Amino acid sequence: MRILLTGSSGWLGRHLAPQLRAAGHQVTGLDVAPGAYTDVVGTVADRSLIDRLFAEHRFDAVIHAAALHKPDIARYPVQAFIDVNVTGTLNLLDAAVAAGASRFVFTSTTSLMISEAIRRAEGEAAVWIDETIAPLEPRNIYGVTKLAAEHLCRLYHQLHGLPCLILRTGRFFPEDDDTHAKPSGENLKANELLNRRLTVEDAVEAHLMALDRAPAIGFDTFILSAPTPFARDEAAELKRDPAGVIARRFPDAADLYAARGWVLPESIDRIYDAARAERVLGWRARTDFAAVLAALRAGAPLPVAHDPAYTSPIIAAAT
């Protein structure tokens, strides 16, 4: 297929592009920052550029991974989020319909499902988050604009029959978290595989599967996260004493962590449930918390990417 990949210089894009090409697809990478897999430097908010690219390449499919993200809130005004995340998505949908494209895969975020109440960890139990959670009340402009873009995808499927799959990804970026100081680094990433993280490799595989299955599915929304080892009826205990729950599943986890100077989570306030992606899309993350413990037992490299020096290409392009 002829594929337009937006966000091709980003962390996901730089891993996804070579896999698409290895599968035999003709990929045109579009990003605001140069990169090894970026063929065109420009923004999705530029409608004339999008129309020109579709006229030149006659894309069969779009994978739309470009966006302003939550850390960009400190650097960009609200209007920039509207321009890129909403108008940019609309530009791509319009062009895809006009070109008769056969599928559209939209990289969204679990962040838009987190209200201010969930962020503050209110309540006595962990919140079990799946695709049915409602109402959705995003807590910042990032979440608001990503949710608006999702609605545009739904609308264009309804109005034009464009197959659109929305992938709400958990955390997979390599840099340190900008809100958690302790634990941090690899310890935090390992903990998050219990409830809210996946590897970039697993995210890539989900996008490849979505690209393949979009015409058959038509429209759907999927949470992407490592499979949680927990059950819904453990939600209250996870909030109060996650170490006890973890010990039942992984008896040696505490000792393995202690040997590395790590700590288990003191409280788990949310669980991202990716069961629908497994049931409908046929995707299940290959890397989970058990894989981390296996690496610790074997003294092997950890299966999660951690790079505290990682800088988003959009920041590099602006400096």
Side-chain angles (χ1 to χ4, degrees):
M1 281 185 288
R2 296 179 301 276
I3 300 172
L4 174 61
L5 171 62
T6 72
S8 51
S9 294
W11 183 245
L12 176 62
R14 70 179 68 175
H15 286 83
L16 180 54
Q19 294 301 315
L20 290 168
R21 290 174 179 169
H25 299 298
Q26 300 175 34
V27 182
T28 299
L30 171 66
D31 202 295
V32 294
Y37 301 102
T38 293
D39 305 285
V40 180
V41 175
T43 173
V44 294
D46 184 346
R47 180 58 183 269
S48 62
L49 171 62
I50 298 302
D51 288 343
R52 177 173 63 80
L53 290 175
F54 269 84
E56 292 176 355
H57 299 277
R58 299 171 57 200
F59 298 115
D60 303 304
V62 176
I63 299 180
H64 180 25
L68 287 181
H69 295 277
K70 185 259 184 181
D72 296 316
I73 292 174
R75 295 182 286 269
Y76 290 89
V78 167
Q79 186 62 53
F81 281 81
I82 301 293
D83 294 341
V84 174
N85 294 355
V86 182
T87 303
T89 303
L90 178 62
N91 290 341
L92 292 165
L93 288 166
D94 271 338
V97 168
S102 65
R103 62 206 75 193
F104 192 103
V105 177
F106 178 55
T107 309
S108 191
T109 173
T110 51
S111 179
L112 63 82
M113 308 176 77
I114 306 305
S115 66
E116 189 62 28
I118 294 175
R119 188 191 69 81
R120 291 197 301 264
E122 296 178 355
E124 298 181 354
V127 179
W128 201 274
I129 299 174
D130 62 17
E131 294 82 358
T132 67
I133 190 171
L136 294 180
E137 299 175 336
R139 69 189 188 280
N140 54 40
I141 190 61
Y142 171 52
V144 167
T145 52
K146 294 296 279 189
L147 182 57
E150 285 192 5
H151 284 310
L152 287 172
C153 291
R154 174 185 53 79
L155 183 64
Y156 270 61
H157 171 69
Q158 291 177 345
L159 293 178
H160 306 289
L162 177 65
C164 293
L165 296 189
I166 295 167
L167 305 181
R168 291 179 180 167
T169 65
R171 296 180 171 194
F172 61 85
F173 291 98
E175 66 265 38
D176 280 321
D177 185 88
D178 61 350
T179 57
H180 290 80
K182 185 179 179 181
S184 61
E186 292 175 323
N187 187 172
L188 178 62
K189 289 178 170 62
N191 288 356
E192 289 177 339
L193 283 172
L194 288 163
N195 66 317
R196 62 184 301 187
R197 175 170 285 273
L198 72 163
T199 65
V200 69
E201 292 82 7
D202 281 328
V204 165
E205 185 174 8
H207 281 74
L208 294 174
M209 297 183 75
L211 183 72
D212 180 62
R213 299 216 56 210
I217 295 174
F219 178 84
D220 214 330
T221 301
F222 302 104
I223 290 173
L224 302 185
S225 188
T228 180
F230 307 128
R232 286 178 182 259
D233 61 6
E234 295 172 311
E237 190 177 0
L238 286 169
K239 185 69 175 297
R240 183 180 66 254
D241 178 30
V245 187
I246 293 167
R248 291 199 296 268
R249 299 287 197 282
F250 311 101
D252 63 343
D255 289 340
L256 290 168
Y257 262 48
R260 198 175 178 104
W262 285 4
V263 295
L264 290 167
E266 295 180 354
S267 179
I268 292 178
D269 61 3
R270 70 195 76 168
I271 300 290
Y272 294 151
D273 185 350
R276 181 172 182 81
E278 182 172 355
R279 185 173 65 253
V280 179
L281 185 59
W283 172 86
R284 179 182 173 90
R286 298 177 185 271
T287 300
D288 57 11
F289 185 70
V292 170
L293 297 184
L296 292 177
R297 292 188 198 101
L302 293 172
V304 290
H306 174 62
D307 181 4
Y310 174 80
T311 301
S312 167
I314 196 171
I315 299 175
T319 56

